Amino acid sequence: MRAMYICMCNAVTDHDIRREAADGVHTFAELQARTGCSDCCGCCEQEARATFDQAVSQVRCQLPLAAA
């Protein structure tokens, strides 16, 4: 699947955002600190947040449940 640029200012793709979520990034502020996503003009913030929220949800669904 081809990557789609989300943040043109800092060349951040949807793959970059999904990779950061898989690596344990759980807040949008942390994503911004690690990638620079949406910290320039801010035009991409809505799409970046939606992509990030979806990626974090997918990561959480893949975590194994703890045994009681």
Side-chain angles (χ1 to χ4, degrees), residues 2-62:
R2 297 180 72 173
M4 179 178 72
Y5 281 95
I6 302 292
C7 175
M8 296 299 287
C9 296
N10 293 307
V12 179
T13 67
D14 59 330
H15 290 188
D16 297 327
I17 292 172
R18 288 188 179 90
R19 183 175 41 252
E20 293 296 334
D23 286 347
V25 173
H26 297 295
T27 67
F28 191 74
E30 190 177 357
L31 175 71
Q32 288 182 298
R34 291 174 65 146
T35 65
C37 183
S38 189
D39 68 355
C40 191
C41 73
C43 291
C44 64
E45 184 171 346
Q46 184 176 9
E47 184 65 28
R49 284 185 182 273
T51 301
F52 178 68
D53 289 346
Q54 182 183 31
V56 169
S57 294
Q58 288 175 341
V59 167
R60 287 184 178 153
C61 287
Q62 295 173 352

